[in-house]
Amino acid sequence: MTSLPGTSASTPRPELARYIDHTLLKPDASEADVLRICAEAVAHNFKSVCVNPIWVKTVHNALKGSGVLTCSVIGFPLGATPTDVKTYEARGAVLDGADEIDMVINIAAARALDRGALVEDISAVAEEVHIGDSILKVIIETFLLTDDEKRLACEAAVEAGADFVKTSTGFNGGGATVQDVSLMRAAVGPGLGVKASGGIRTLADARAMIDAGATRIGASAGIAIIREETDGTAADPVTDDSHRAGSY
């Protein structure tokens, strides 16, 4: 089994739960739903809870003192938002208590191989996020890009000062693949995190992404993954709702 970027083969990985951003981005999510995933994240020691911006205050308050981070999405899910709007949205989320921001890039700029536009968009948000000592993850939406466009987007994220690159929103088709995670890891080198998200529903999925270079996993099926790791019980595809639109 390969070691994480920046570690030796003898360095133990964090427990699997600490890779997972426990995610709820469905537009019809209620406050009760959000509080439930916060309780689940604390109980399972997940890395963060990732929600839409309207729930950041709720999540921040629910997670105080738990060691679980608050994460929000920006320019989501299309990325087709002016940069000044993304920065405003990011500033509000950080002020509300977001420790991490997952922003969607200007996908049209990536398709046009416009590195300058990508760097400008990402760097403006990165500057705003870093003022608050928060972390920026950049969603490149791999399903919509060619390999050359993916590499360009990753290189732009590095140049712009992002902390992570991330595969997918989960809303625009496709999802994380081992090939894309490997490509992204090669493009950013060992200095940035790589977050795999979209369609990761089993222990095998999660392990494959980590082996390919992922240092974070975005999933709405985190509990099922951890349950499979601890007792070998795989999720029931009939009752598990992580396949629904808006689930990572």
Side-chain angles (χ1 to χ4, degrees), residues 211-232:
D211 283 341
T215 51
R216 195 76 67 87
I217 301 292
S220 55
I223 293 175
I225 292 168
I226 296 302
R227 183 182 300 125
E228 188 178 356
E229 181 190 38
T230 55
D231 63 19

Side-chain angles (χ1 to χ4, degrees), residues 94 123-136 160-163:
V94 170
S123 61
V125 178
E127 181 177 354
E128 195 65 53
V129 169
H130 291 156
I131 288 172
D133 292 325
S134 296
I135 294 296
L136 179 64
D163 303 289

Side-chain angles (χ1 to χ4, degrees), residues 6-233:
T7 68
S8 69
S10 61
T11 303
R13 289 174 172 172
E15 61 178 299
L16 180 59
R18 297 302 289 171
Y19 284 90
I20 294 175
D21 290 346
H22 198 36
T23 302
L24 180 61
L25 294 169
K26 297 173 184 177
D28 59 344
S30 67
E31 183 177 18
D33 294 330
V34 171
L35 291 174
R36 172 180 53 79
I37 69 162
C38 288
E40 292 170 350
V42 172
H44 293 278
N45 195 32
F46 291 139
K47 184 68 175 181
S48 83
V49 169
C50 187
V51 292
N52 285 306
I54 61 169
W55 297 117
V56 170
K57 283 185 180 179
T58 301
V59 170
H60 175 70
N61 290 332
L63 295 177
K64 277 182 180 176
S66 69
V68 179
L69 303 178
T70 300
C71 177
S72 186
V73 291
I74 297 299
F76 193 88
L78 301 178
T81 306
T83 299
D84 59 349
V85 176
K86 289 181 182 178
T87 57
Y88 180 84
E89 191 177 14
R91 182 185 313 127
V94 170
L95 289 173
D96 283 347
D99 303 293
E100 301 188 336
I101 296 295
D102 290 16
M103 71 164 283
V104 186
I105 64 166
N106 179 342
I107 298 168
R111 292 293 301 271
L113 296 177
D114 189 342
R115 185 186 183 112
L118 288 170
V119 171
E120 181 180 357
D121 188 47
I122 299 166
S123 61
V125 178
E127 181 177 354
E128 195 65 53
V129 169
H130 291 156
I131 288 172
D133 292 325
S134 296
I135 294 296
L136 179 64
K137 308 191 203 89
V138 175
I139 307 171
I140 70 171
E141 203 67 290
T142 51
F143 180 72
L144 300 180
L145 304 180
T146 67
D147 284 354
D148 285 343
E149 292 161 358
K150 294 167 196 173
R151 290 188 190 94
L152 180 73
C154 288
E155 291 166 0
V158 173
E159 182 177 344
D163 303 289
F164 274 76
V165 288
K166 174 179 169 182
T167 58
S168 317
T169 64
F171 280 74
N172 293 317
T177 68
V178 167
Q179 292 78 13
D180 282 339
V181 170
S182 180
L183 180 152
M184 292 164 69
R185 171 53 66 200
V188 301
L192 261 68
V194 175
K195 179 174 173 180
S197 65
I200 302 172
R201 302 188 186 105
T202 68
L203 179 60
D205 291 339
R207 285 177 170 166
M209 299 302 168
I210 293 168
D211 283 341
T215 51
R216 195 76 67 87
I217 301 292
S220 55
I223 293 175
I225 292 168
I226 296 302
R227 183 182 300 125
E228 188 178 356
E229 181 190 38
T230 55
D231 63 19
T233 304

